Amino acid sequence: MKCLVTGFDPFGGEKVNPSYELAARLPDEIDGAELIKLVVPTQFGAAVQVVREKIETVNPDIWLGVGQAGGRSCITVERVAINVMDARIPDNAGYQPVDEPVEARGPAAYFSTLPVRRMVAALEASQIPAAISNSAGTFVCNNLMYGVLHLAAGRKGSPAGGFMHIPYLPEQVVDKNSQPSMTLEMSLRAVEIALRVAIEEVRQLGK
Ligand code: PCA
């Protein structure tokens, strides 16, 4: 069993991205499953392209995307990705789409194919604040989640896939006047726990 975990590079004037830091710190194996880690650019289109190429080379059973959601106070496991790109700020290539579809002929949305409810329950059972989120936003994280699920949809042998947002790191909010944060150690544990649940589920489905 192979799991591909992706993070993003810093964006929006931040010096760090907790999902970038995580990618370097995750172990190489969880519960007998091999973990492949990759950092992707915070760029519309390019993020999907980079993950698509990695999926084609390593053929993972699971893809878990991780990204920073500044302003959120807990781990949020995304339920759905929508066919919209609508950016409040430019991406790292300077591109700022407004009201554009990800895929002109794609469906309105894709649901995560990971067990979101069980992932959140496992996080809460480990005393990590977590919730299901019904919006991955309309920036690059949603673009990546939609793009990967679109590629995987209806294609035999494609990975089960989904996305998790993690809060800012404490050092990112010292000058932000009352913004929530989570330590890297807790976010790292959260990703490991979520992966364990996903691995168990995919094993049970006989992959
Ligand atoms: N978060 C952004 C994109 C990259 C990241 O880490 C988002 O939520 O869309």
Side-chain angles (χ1 to χ4, degrees), residues 8-9 11 17 19 42 66-69 136 139-142 165:
F8 283 99
D9 59 4
F11 67 99
N17 185 326
S19 69
T42 302
V66 185
Q68 161 195 304
F139 196 51
V140 181
C141 291
N142 174 75
H165 267 118

Side-chain angles (χ1 to χ4, degrees), residues 1 3 16 18 27 35 43 57 61 66 69-70 77 84 96 107 129-131 143 145-146 151 154 162 167 183 193 195:
M1 161 106 48
C3 305
V16 293
L35 282 198
Q43 292 176 26
T57 0
D61 303 282
V66 185
V77 182
V84 174
Q96 190 172 2
N143 178 213
M145 184 178 170
Y146 185 96
L151 291 169
T183 62
I193 289 164
L195 277 169

Side-chain angles (χ1 to χ4, degrees), residues 16-19 21-22 66-77 123-124 126-131 164-174 178-193:
V16 293
N17 185 326
S19 69
E21 304 300 320
L22 270 180
V66 185
Q68 161 195 304
R72 288 194 186 171
S73 59
C74 70
I75 300 286
T76 42
V77 182
L123 292 168
E124 289 176 351
S126 301
Q127 304 302 309
I128 297 178
M164 265 169 83
H165 267 118
I166 59 179
Y168 278 137
L169 295 170
E171 60 262 39
Q172 291 178 277
V173 301
V174 282
S178 288
Q179 287 285 317
S181 67
M182 187 176 276
T183 62
L184 187 59
E185 184 262 326
M186 186 174 273
S187 287
L188 182 61
R189 266 205 303 136
V191 172
E192 292 183 13
I193 289 164

